């Protein structure tokens, strides 16, 4: 999965610092785009080494005459090698936005390209498809929309047998899909969903990864919940997607990443999640979580967080569905290894990707909220102390502890004695109202179900800790109630 | 972040869960001013909570995160020719040959030797062009070429209209060529053996057909009127040279 793609950056040319700087820039740009709900990214599949073009990483910009010349040569040349060469030159030129603009403004250019795409010469077809792919990658809508006449053919070729060609068509479609609603409004009636459903049965890993990419782009569309997801759910795609996520020797990380993101976009749109639960999504994702935790321990951490993130999200959101409880009256997910796996992943995030810690804790909340079983696992597996180590990261730690404590005396007994009380006294020193509020809730439960805790609380200057917040509007009532309990106890 | 040493072992061991501790809630737990309620939380698509993970995902798509290795060059082999009879293409890379084979020799009609991009289009072609029984029995024989659509039409024109209107296909879609003229006089050379034999068969009932020089697409409708004395079996009843005898023999 990782070795086939060649990005625009080449490690041998740019130093590490330069790479980091560019990454920070891109990250900032992506954050801004997301806040404006314009998060769009395209994938570029370039297979030839830039060395072929001579020194430097970049080929020359082509003028109108040159574009015309290459097209004519490709279309009417006598020798196949000559025709192919013309298209290769065109394709290199099309790496430039200027050449792209020149191309689309030239009358009949797309028509010629489509003619070459559908010709009987296999290698010309491939090169024409590569030209189209370059165009699809443009950031300018006019260029991408100029590719519309080719879409019916791209879809037709998804049922062909040449895996390289199919892969190229899929990436091109994926890039076009994300471009504008106009494109999607054409692709849907043209039958993109049945075409993808047929194509997903391919045995080729590269094709599946490309398909996952294209599908993820389709599912990210703003209108997806109303216009796209229902037909996807009605097709055979969900079952196949889940198959790609089943752990085992056939699991390919690159493919799994794409389909996990697809599943996330479907699930968080909340169109028909019970259907997915009916297909076994919960148990598949649970097993995948276990698999990920196992992989993390072997330090095969090449991008595991890319897969872990959508898996966590899918599980968390699915757990909010009522359907989760109806199968036999119990949660479909009952294996306590899930809790063990989650903590192993939390530790991994702590070291490698702290930004994912809140998402992991979100899952922990959803697992424990309504489940005595998982709350018990948390206690029996000795996970309270590790959990407390994450207090600085997120308030959800306190919420999870409340989930445990609210289940009654049997649970609170296991929370006491231990590091919990000192930790709470510590959080009471914060000024963040949210944090303190949650701490007060937890204290209340602890005092209610484990009265011995009150004494120790008093001995450790608990009352003074409470006093700090007596004037705070949102906390006053609860502070007062706790003070009363403490004094009476 | 320290984990208990037994945790990894637990992960490696089999599925299962300890017996849950008994749940026993006191109504005072939820009494005012306290308001904690245990509940699973759901986040919708655009929620800000997802920002960090989404940004990582897109960085990946843009290929920035991973140090991508160099792409291996296409392995070259000594030049070889395509083994399919009549094809003289030469290749020096297996990928190229694979693509050539699948494109030109993959879905090939055994009657007229035309190649199609997919099995679906090949099936549609055979039904429409070469399956005589299908054509006699069915009123509607032109199926929609879009995978997943089950509509069928009487004429190729209707089919084209449907594909343009409903599926937004181009009017000049390459894989929807209308059937060629059926008159025996215009039988074309390469790979036309299938059509020629049908042309011969039609000679027997040439009277009703020749009477009206209708365009190719509509001529098919006349096939419903082929006399039942005509048999399309191999060699059988081809000897019927005279139209005068109407005795049923097939």
């Amino acid at each position: 999965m990782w070795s086939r793609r060649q990005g625009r950056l080449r490690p041998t040319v740019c130093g590490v610092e330069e790479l980091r700087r560019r990454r920070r820039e891109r990250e900032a740009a992506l954050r801004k785009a997301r806040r404006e709900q314009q998060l769009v990214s395209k994938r570029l599949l370039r297979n030839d080494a830039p060395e072929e073009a001579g020194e430097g990483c970049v080929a020359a910009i082509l003028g109108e005459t040159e574009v015309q010349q290459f097209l004519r040569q490709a279309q009417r040349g006598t020798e196949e090698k000559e025709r192919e060469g013309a298209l290769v030159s065109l394709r290199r030129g099309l790496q430039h936005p200027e050449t792209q603009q020149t191309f689309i403004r030239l009358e009949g250019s797309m028509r010629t390209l489509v003619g070459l795409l559908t010709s009987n010469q296999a290698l010309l077809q491939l090169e024409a498809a590569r030209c189209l792919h370059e165009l699809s990658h443009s950031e300018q809508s006019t260029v991408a929309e100029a590719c519309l006449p080719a879409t019916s053919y791209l879809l037709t070729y998804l049922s062909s047998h040449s895996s390289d060609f199919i892969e190229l068509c899929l990436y091109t479609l994926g890039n076009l899909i994300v471009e504008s609603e106009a494109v999607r409004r054409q692709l849907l009636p043209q039958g993109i969903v049945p075409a993808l459903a047929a194509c997903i049965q391919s045995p080729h890993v590269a094709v599946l990864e490309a398909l996952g990419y294209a599908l993820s782009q389709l599912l990210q569309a703003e209108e997806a919940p109303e216009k796209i997801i229902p037909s996807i759910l009605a097709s055979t795609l969900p079952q196949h997607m889940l198959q790609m996520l089943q752990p085992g020797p056939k699991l390919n990380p690159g493919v799994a990443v794409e389909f996990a993101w697809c599943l996330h976009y479907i699930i968080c749109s909340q169109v028909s999640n019970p259907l997915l639960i009916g297909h076994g999504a919960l148990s598949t994702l649970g097993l995948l979580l276990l698999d990920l935790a196992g992989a993390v321990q072997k330090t095969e951490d090449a991008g595991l967080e890319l897969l872990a993130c959508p898996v966590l999200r899918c599980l968390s959101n699915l757990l909010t569905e009522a359907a989760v409880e109806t199968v036999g009256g119990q949660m479909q997910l009952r294996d306590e290894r899930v809790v063990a796996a989650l903590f192993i992943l939390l530790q991994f995030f702590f070291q490698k990707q702290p930004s994912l810690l809140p998402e992991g804790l979100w899952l922990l909340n959803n697992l424990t909220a309504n489940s005595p079983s998982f709350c018990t696992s948390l206690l029996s597996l000795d996970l309270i102390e590790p959990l407390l180590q994450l207090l600085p990261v997120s308030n959800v730690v306190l919420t999870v502890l409340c989930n445990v404590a609210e289940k009654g005396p049997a649970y609170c007994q296991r929370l006491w004695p231990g590091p919990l009380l000192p930790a709470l006294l510590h959080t009471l020193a914060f000024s963040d109202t949210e944090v303190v509020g949650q701490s007060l809730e937890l204290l209340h439960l602890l005092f209610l179900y484990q009265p011995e805790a009150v004494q120790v609380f008093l001995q450790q200057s608990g009352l003074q800790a409470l006093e700090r917040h007596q004037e705070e509007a949102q906390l006053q009532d609860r502070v007062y109630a706790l003070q009363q309990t403490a004094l009476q106890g | 972040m320290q984990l208990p040493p037994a945790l990894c072992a637990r992960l490696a061991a089999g599925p299962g869960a300890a017996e849950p501790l008994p749940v026993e809630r006191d109504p005072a737990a939820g009494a005012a001013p306290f308001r904690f309620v245990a509940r699973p939380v759901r986040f919708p698509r655009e929620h800000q909570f997802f920002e960090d993970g989404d940004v990582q995902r897109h960085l990946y798509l843009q290929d920035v995160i991973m140090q991508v290795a160099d792409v291996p060059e296409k392995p070259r082999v000594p030049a070889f020719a395509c083994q399919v009879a009549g094809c003289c293409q030469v290749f020096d890379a297996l990928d190229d040959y694979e693509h050539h084979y699948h494109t030109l020799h993959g879905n090939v009609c055994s009657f007229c030797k035309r190649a199609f991009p997919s099995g679906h289009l090949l099936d549609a072609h055979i039904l429409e062009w070469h399956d005589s029984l299908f054509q006699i029995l069915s009123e509607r024989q032109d199926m929609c070429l879009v995978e997943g659509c089950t509509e069928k039409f009487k004429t190729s024109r209707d089919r084209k209209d449907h594909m343009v209107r409903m599926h937004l296909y181009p009017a000049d879609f390459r894989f929807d060529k209308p059937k060629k003229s059926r008159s025996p006089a215009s039988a074309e050379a390469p790979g036309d053996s299938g059509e020629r034999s049908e042309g011969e068969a039609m000679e027997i009932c040439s009277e009703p057909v020749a009477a009206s020089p209708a365009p190719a697409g509509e001529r098919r409708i006349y096939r419903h009127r082929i006399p039942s004395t005509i048999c399309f079996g191999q060699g059988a009843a081809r000897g019927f040279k005279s139209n005068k005898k109407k005795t049923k023999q097939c």
Side-chain angles (χ1 to χ4, degrees):
Chain A
M1 119 167 126
W2 309 109
S3 60
R4 274 202 70 183
R5 311 284 169 245
Q6 188 169 30
R8 292 179 189 272
L9 302 175
R10 306 197 72 234
T12 49
V13 171
C14 318
V16 173
E17 262 317 303
E18 175 68 11
L19 275 178
R20 284 213 191 107
R21 189 187 64 78
R22 289 196 202 184
R23 186 207 156 105
R24 279 195 295 269
E25 272 174 17
R26 283 186 190 250
E27 205 174 312
L30 286 170
R31 274 185 206 283
K32 178 164 182 288
R34 197 193 185 278
R35 285 186 197 147
E36 293 162 9
Q37 307 207 345
Q38 302 258 6
L39 195 53
V40 159
S41 287
K42 300 194 178 187
R43 238 187 157 178
L44 184 67
L45 190 74
R46 255 190 218 140
N47 274 345
D48 62 349
E51 275 103 341
E52 285 176 27
E55 74 284 332
C57 306
V58 196
I61 301 178
L62 299 176
E64 189 174 300
T65 336
E66 289 163 292
V67 172
Q68 262 174 330
Q69 207 171 31
F70 287 137
L71 279 173
R72 209 173 294 134
Q73 244 179 323
Q75 198 181 21
R76 302 190 204 148
T78 43
E79 274 205 42
E80 183 142 346
K81 280 294 170 195
E82 183 196 325
R83 299 174 72 184
E84 205 188 318
L87 273 183
V88 170
S89 306
L90 178 63
R91 192 226 321 151
R92 292 224 186 93
L94 285 174
Q95 291 177 19
H96 288 280
E98 292 94 328
T99 315
Q100 291 168 358
Q101 285 293 333
T102 307
F103 179 87
I104 64 170
R105 276 190 243 123
L106 208 53
E107 201 179 309
S109 57
M110 185 53 72
R111 204 178 162 72
T112 308
L113 195 59
V114 170
L116 290 161
L117 180 73
T118 54
S119 71
N120 271 343
Q121 312 280 17
L123 294 179
L124 282 182
Q125 275 188 310
L126 261 177
E127 275 307 324
R130 288 191 186 123
C131 289
L132 214 51
H133 178 70
E134 284 293 340
L135 289 167
S136 76
H137 193 260
S138 167
E139 278 164 19
Q140 300 169 43
S141 324
T142 45
V143 175
E145 285 183 9
C147 299
L148 281 176
T151 56
S152 58
Y153 298 105
L154 291 173
L155 289 176
T156 303
Y157 286 128
L158 292 188
S159 319
S160 69
H161 288 296
S162 168
S163 59
D164 275 352
F165 196 51
I166 298 177
E167 191 190 350
L168 203 48
C169 291
L170 283 167
Y171 278 117
T172 307
L173 281 166
N175 287 346
L176 292 176
I177 283 169
V178 91
E179 190 48 57
S180 71
E181 192 172 349
V183 173
R184 297 188 290 270
R185 261 186 276 127
Q186 173 163 304
L187 284 172
L188 286 164
Q190 281 184 344
I192 187 169
V193 175
L196 291 176
C199 190
I200 202 170
Q201 299 178 52
S202 164
H204 298 278
V205 160
V207 167
L208 293 173
E209 192 175 333
L211 198 153
Y213 165 73
L215 189 56
S216 73
Q217 300 288 55
L218 198 56
L219 291 166
Q220 245 197 303
E222 219 178 298
E223 75 276 17
E226 303 95 59
K227 307 222 174 110
I228 301 174
I229 294 180
S231 46
I232 300 234
L233 286 174
S235 76
T236 54
L237 282 167
Q239 292 99 301
H240 285 112
M241 280 197 260
L242 286 171
Q243 255 172 14
M244 311 286 172
L245 294 172
Q246 273 166 13
K250 285 209 193 140
L251 179 73
N252 178 283
V255 172
V257 164
E258 298 308 314
F259 287 111
W261 279 96
C262 287
L263 215 53
H264 162 60
Y265 294 132
I266 294 179
I267 290 175
C268 68
S269 303
Q270 269 134 26
V271 173
S272 181
N273 288 339
L275 180 78
L276 289 169
I277 295 180
H279 283 311
L282 268 176
S283 61
T284 300
L285 290 166
L287 287 171
L288 186 54
L289 195 76
L290 299 184
D291 205 51
L292 276 168
V296 146
Q297 291 177 292
K298 294 178 199 140
T299 64
E300 296 167 21
D301 62 345
L304 278 173
E305 66 273 11
L306 293 165
L307 181 53
C309 174
V311 170
L312 291 174
R313 293 179 179 189
C314 289
L315 277 169
S316 304
N317 266 329
L318 278 180
L319 285 169
T320 65
E321 299 289 334
V324 156
E325 309 272 341
T326 55
V327 182
Q330 294 170 346
M331 278 230 301
Q332 276 187 14
L333 205 61
R334 290 203 68 196
D335 192 342
E336 76 178 354
R337 290 181 302 171
V338 168
V339 176
L342 183 51
F343 269 81
I344 291 173
L345 285 171
L346 286 172
Q347 185 190 50
F348 170 71
F349 294 154
F350 194 78
Q351 290 158 359
K352 297 277 165 74
Q353 192 77 43
S355 60
L356 282 179
L357 283 168
E359 301 209 23
L361 289 170
W362 169 39
L363 177 57
L364 191 58
N365 174 68
N366 285 8
L367 282 172
T368 52
N370 292 332
S371 170
S373 176
F374 282 131
C375 287
T376 307
S377 304
L378 214 55
L379 296 165
S380 62
L381 292 172
D382 277 324
L383 292 169
I384 301 299
E385 187 154 357
L387 184 59
L388 286 171
Q389 290 171 39
L390 293 175
L391 258 177
V393 170
S394 161
N395 307 350
V396 180
V397 170
L398 292 167
T399 313
V400 172
L401 290 165
C402 285
N403 287 349
V404 176
E406 70 91 27
K407 307 257 178 319
Y411 293 80
C412 285
Q413 272 165 30
R414 302 281 290 269
L415 287 172
W416 174 266
L420 183 58
L421 197 55
L424 282 175
L425 286 163
H426 181 65
T427 56
L428 282 178
F430 291 7
S431 45
D432 184 330
T433 326
E434 281 287 328
V435 176
V436 176
Q438 279 288 55
S439 311
L440 297 176
E441 298 282 346
L442 188 51
L443 269 175
H444 165 66
L445 292 167
L446 196 60
F447 288 174
L448 183 63
Y449 294 130
Q450 193 65 24
E452 296 96 323
V454 179
Q455 276 311 309
V456 184
F457 178 73
L458 290 170
Q459 283 161 17
Q460 303 207 346
S461 327
L463 279 178
Q464 288 90 312
L466 284 176
E467 267 161 34
R468 285 188 60 184
H469 304 287
Q470 321 188 115
E471 304 305 314
E472 179 61 51
Q474 290 200 32
L475 303 171
Q476 278 176 334
D477 296 339
R478 291 180 283 180
V479 167
Y480 181 72
L482 280 174
Q483 283 168 331
Q484 295 306 302
T485 312
L487 291 170
Q488 280 155 26
Chain B
M1 186 188 163
Q2 296 274 30
L3 293 176
L7 201 66
C8 300
R10 181 63 197 92
L11 185 70
E19 190 58 38
L21 295 165
V23 176
E24 211 184 302
R25 291 186 180 98
D26 186 323
F34 296 99
R35 44 197 188 245
F36 176 75
V37 176
R39 63 163 70 90
V41 172
R42 105 184 355 172
F43 286 115
R45 283 167 75 98
E46 289 306 330
H47 203 281
Q48 223 218 322
F49 184 71
F50 289 145
E51 184 180 301
D52 282 325
D54 283 357
V55 166
Q56 296 306 315
R57 157 67 174 166
H58 281 265
L59 278 173
Y60 164 68
L61 284 181
Q62 293 178 4
D63 267 342
V64 175
I65 302 187
M66 305 308 296
Q67 291 290 307
V68 286
D70 281 276
V71 173
E73 259 212 22
K74 233 192 309 196
R76 303 271 160 193
V77 298
F80 63 97
C82 177
Q83 292 300 299
V84 174
C87 181
C88 42
Q89 284 273 16
V90 173
F91 303 92
D92 65 353
L94 291 174
D95 280 350
D96 292 347
Y97 176 60
E98 197 210 11
H99 182 66
H100 160 88
Y101 184 86
H102 285 134
T103 310
L104 292 185
H105 307 304
N107 298 297
V108 172
C109 174
S110 49
F111 297 103
C112 62
K113 310 301 174 207
R114 272 191 195 84
F116 292 86
S118 68
H120 178 72
L121 288 172
L122 173 61
D123 289 343
H125 161 84
I126 292 178
L127 273 178
E128 287 163 36
W129 289 51
H130 304 299
D131 189 326
S132 332
L133 185 62
F134 181 68
Q135 281 155 14
I136 291 178
L137 291 182
S138 66
E139 288 231 326
R140 292 167 170 250
Q141 54 192 278
D142 281 11
M143 49 198 259
C144 176
L145 297 179
V146 176
E147 194 136 8
C149 180
T150 50
E151 295 285 335
K152 291 187 172 35
F153 305 90
K154 273 201 184 124
T155 65
S156 55
R157 198 209 165 84
D158 287 346
R159 194 248 309 272
K160 181 184 287 298
D161 280 344
H162 163 84
M163 283 175 61
V164 169
R165 267 184 314 109
M166 297 301 293
H167 296 296
L168 306 185
Y169 262 54
D172 59 350
F173 187 60
R174 256 188 82 111
F175 303 115
D176 181 15
K177 293 239 168 79
K179 248 171 127 169
K180 286 195 268 205
S181 157
R182 280 287 171 222
S183 71
S186 67
E188 266 136 58
D192 247 24
S193 45
E195 290 173 68
R196 231 175 286 133
S197 62
E198 285 175 18
E200 278 172 357
M202 284 187 65
E203 275 172 12
I204 297 167
C205 59
S206 60
E207 270 182 39
V209 179
S212 37
E218 289 175 35
R219 200 183 281 198
R220 280 198 295 273
I221 299 173
Y222 286 109
R223 284 169 160 259
H224 299 310
R225 297 217 254 124
I226 292 169
S228 56
T229 45
I230 301 309
C231 182
F232 284 90
Q234 290 283 354
R238 286 287 176 82
F240 249 92
K241 297 292 183 209
S242 159
N243 283 354
K244 289 177 203 156
K245 286 191 188 167
K246 296 288 183 189
T247 49
K248 295 190 177 159
Q249 274 212 355
C250 292

